């Protein structure tokens, strides 16, 4: 009787372990079926004519609004694409993720939390009111590194004796995430440098309030340069995938940031990656993500896939419309939402 009970218990434990193992392993699908999901989203949104290119940076208004590319990197390192994944656009605010990652890697997660904050502002990405509100009403660093004031501050925190040294750190970090050498789109850099007076004011304000402790003009210039880095959908997907797979680039196998630091990066993306629409985005997808006014969006399904879409027309919050819709559809079809667990979760206790 006792032996029978023990055997039943052993079988039950084995079954539980198997279920846990199955839920831990990303769902295995034929490459063709993932390709057809990606192709389906591309076909569905290819002719969508909503939104408008950003034009407050004149060079962005000139980019072809029909440019549309989807790229996805799966757990086995396969790159699945649809549309134009070669044409480069400027990375814009997506750069903020990777500068923040550099600072977290070099100085630890506390540096970003204590200097800038890790809370959503609920305001536009270039809000000056959010800085005033944080300082005067909240009384502390209650911003985040993915809105302009926090991002210019994060850039000022990258260490280096000269501006060139800091820049080398930034561009090498982005290149490591992408798995190829990236460079600045000079026309975008010039265009944004000529029209970034608001960001210059934000940099100066952050200096006045002692968030920025070094030369604010240098920080704003380097920030402008980092936003002008050229990337295509494939680069962005590889950058997202490096975050999805513990900070290790799935193509080059280089450990770009340590796995321990990745959750801090993803948390701020989840909180503030799509600005004042971050809550709506998370509600529908559960995916840490980041948009840029160049038309790119990256999204991360941890341990599962990294995905990126490039399509310049934006909605009122500054997020690419085709990119949001395509990523949402693809992730839903592939069960990318990390909160949507349908089977028993693999965390269990023995009951003792
Ligand atoms: O600073 C700016 O305004 C741009 N370089 C970046 C803004 C941006 O990408 C916001 N994204 N949705």
């Amino acid at each position: 009787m006792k032996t029978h009970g023990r055997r039943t218990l052993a079988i039950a434990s084995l079954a539980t372990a198997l279920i846990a193992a199955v839920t831990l392993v990303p769902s295995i699908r034929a490459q063709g079926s993932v390709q057809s999901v990606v192709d389906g989203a591309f076909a569905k949104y290819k002719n969508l004519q909503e939104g408008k290119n950003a034009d407050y940076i004149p060079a962005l208004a000139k980019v072809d609004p029909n440019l549309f590319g989807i790229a996805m990197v799966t757990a086995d390192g396969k790159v699945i694409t649809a549309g134009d994944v070669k044409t480069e656009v400027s990375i814009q605010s997506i750069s903020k993720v990777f500068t923040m990652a550099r600072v977290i890697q070099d100085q630890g997660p506390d540096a970003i939390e204590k200097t800038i904050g890790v809370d959503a502002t609920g305001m536009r990405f270039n809000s000056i009111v959010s800085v005033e509100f944080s300082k005067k009403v909240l009384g502390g660093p209650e911003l985040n590194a993915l809105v302009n004031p926090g991002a210019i501050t994060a850039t000022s925190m990258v260490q280096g004796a000269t501006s060139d040294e800091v820049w080398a750190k930034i561009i090498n970090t982005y290149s490591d995430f992408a798995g190829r050498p990236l460079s600045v789109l000079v026309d975008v850099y010039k265009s944004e440098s000529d029209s970034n007076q608001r960001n210059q004011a934000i940099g100066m304000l952050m200096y006045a309030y002692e968030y920025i402790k070094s030369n604010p003009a240098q920080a704003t210039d380097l920030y402008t340069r980092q936003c002008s880095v050229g990337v295509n959908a494939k680069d962005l997907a590889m950058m997202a995938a490096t975050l999805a797979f513990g900070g290790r680039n799935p193509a080059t196998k280089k450990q770009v940031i340590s796995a321990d630091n990745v959750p801090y990066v993803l948390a701020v993306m989840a909180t503030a990656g799509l600005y004042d629409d971050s809550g709506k985005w998370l509600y529908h997808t559960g995916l840490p993500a980041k948009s840029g006014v160049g038309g790119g969006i990256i999204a991360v399904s941890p341990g599962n896939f990294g995905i990126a879409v490039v399509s310049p027309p934006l909605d009122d919050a500054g997020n690419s419309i085709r990119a949001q819709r395509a990523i949402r559809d693809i992730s839903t079809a592939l069960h990318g939402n990390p909160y949507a667990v349908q089977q028993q979760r693999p965390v269990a206790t023995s009951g003792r």
Side-chain angles (χ1 to χ4, degrees):
M1 199 55 190
K2 244 184 176 173
T3 317
H4 177 71
R6 257 194 230 128
R7 197 177 298 148
T8 311
L9 196 65
I11 292 168
S13 311
L14 188 65
T16 308
L18 275 174
I19 290 168
V22 166
T23 52
L24 270 176
V25 174
S27 64
I28 309 291
R29 288 163 181 273
Q31 195 177 334
S33 84
V34 179
Q35 182 71 58
S36 67
V37 169
V38 170
D39 288 344
F42 182 77
K44 185 169 168 194
Y45 297 116
K46 189 172 166 340
N47 297 318
L48 186 79
Q49 297 296 328
E50 286 176 38
K52 189 166 148 298
N53 283 27
D55 57 7
Y56 74 99
I57 300 168
L60 302 187
K62 295 187 199 141
V63 178
D64 178 5
N66 295 315
L67 171 63
F68 183 28
I70 306 176
M72 168 169 190
V73 182
T74 57
D76 53 353
K78 294 262 163 39
V79 184
I80 293 164
T81 69
D84 183 343
V85 296
K86 289 205 175 129
T87 300
E88 291 184 357
V89 294
S90 51
I91 188 168
Q92 295 299 338
S93 283
I94 301 171
S95 68
K96 295 165 177 169
V97 170
F98 302 99
T99 297
M100 174 176 70
R102 176 79 269 146
V103 175
I104 290 175
Q105 180 66 19
D106 291 346
Q107 299 170 42
D110 285 0
I112 287 284
E113 186 177 5
K114 292 200 172 123
T115 309
I116 298 169
V118 290
D119 273 307
T121 64
M123 296 183 207
R124 285 192 65 80
F125 60 84
N126 56 4
S127 169
I128 290 173
V129 171
S130 70
V131 179
E132 288 296 312
F133 190 75
S134 168
K135 183 78 186 170
K136 303 277 168 57
V137 181
L138 303 174
E142 299 261 353
L143 300 161
N144 65 74
L146 301 184
V147 288
N148 292 11
I152 297 170
T153 306
T155 302
S156 80
M157 293 169 75
V158 177
Q159 291 157 337
T162 62
S163 171
D164 286 350
E165 244 180 75
V166 175
W167 176 249
K169 258 204 189 144
I170 292 172
I171 193 69
N172 290 340
T173 301
Y174 296 6
S175 300
D176 285 346
F177 269 101
R180 75 167 181 110
L182 300 177
S183 55
V184 163
L185 299 175
V186 178
D187 59 328
V188 177
Y189 172 57
K190 285 200 175 125
S191 177
E192 186 162 348
S193 297
D194 289 343
S195 56
N196 72 347
Q197 290 76 17
R198 188 182 177 95
N199 281 343
Q200 292 177 37
I202 289 173
M204 201 55 88
L205 187 61
M206 295 306 274
Y207 180 70
Y209 286 158
E210 298 177 347
Y211 291 91
I212 293 181
K213 301 205 166 54
S214 52
N215 179 348
Q218 174 179 305
T220 307
D221 177 55
L222 287 170
Y223 163 81
T224 307
R225 232 193 282 182
Q226 78 178 43
C227 288
S228 311
V229 167
V231 282
N232 56 39
K234 207 171 145 198
D235 296 326
L236 289 174
M238 205 51 86
M239 295 172 99
T242 301
L243 291 172
F245 303 117
R248 185 171 185 250
N249 183 303
T252 65
K253 313 287 180 215
K254 181 167 183 171
Q255 192 72 42
V256 184
I257 63 167
S258 66
D260 287 350
N261 283 329
V262 170
Y264 296 106
V265 176
L266 296 182
V268 186
M269 290 170 72
T271 312
L274 267 70
Y275 304 111
D276 29 332
D277 275 352
S278 298
K280 270 190 223 156
W281 170 261
L282 200 65
Y283 190 73
H284 288 288
T285 66
L287 300 180
K290 184 73 201 82
S291 62
V293 288
I297 296 187
I298 60 169
V300 175
S301 179
N304 203 6
F305 59 79
I307 187 166
V309 175
V310 168
S311 165
L314 311 177
D315 64 14
D316 290 342
N319 301 315
S320 166
I321 294 182
R322 285 198 196 103
Q324 289 177 79
R325 301 216 184 142
I327 294 173
R328 183 171 155 182
D329 280 13
I330 293 168
S331 179
T332 302
L334 300 177
H335 305 291
N337 187 334
Y339 299 118
V341 175
Q342 269 139 43
Q343 293 171 332
Q344 181 184 339
R345 299 212 65 166
V347 176
T349 65
S350 66
R352 280 199 279 165

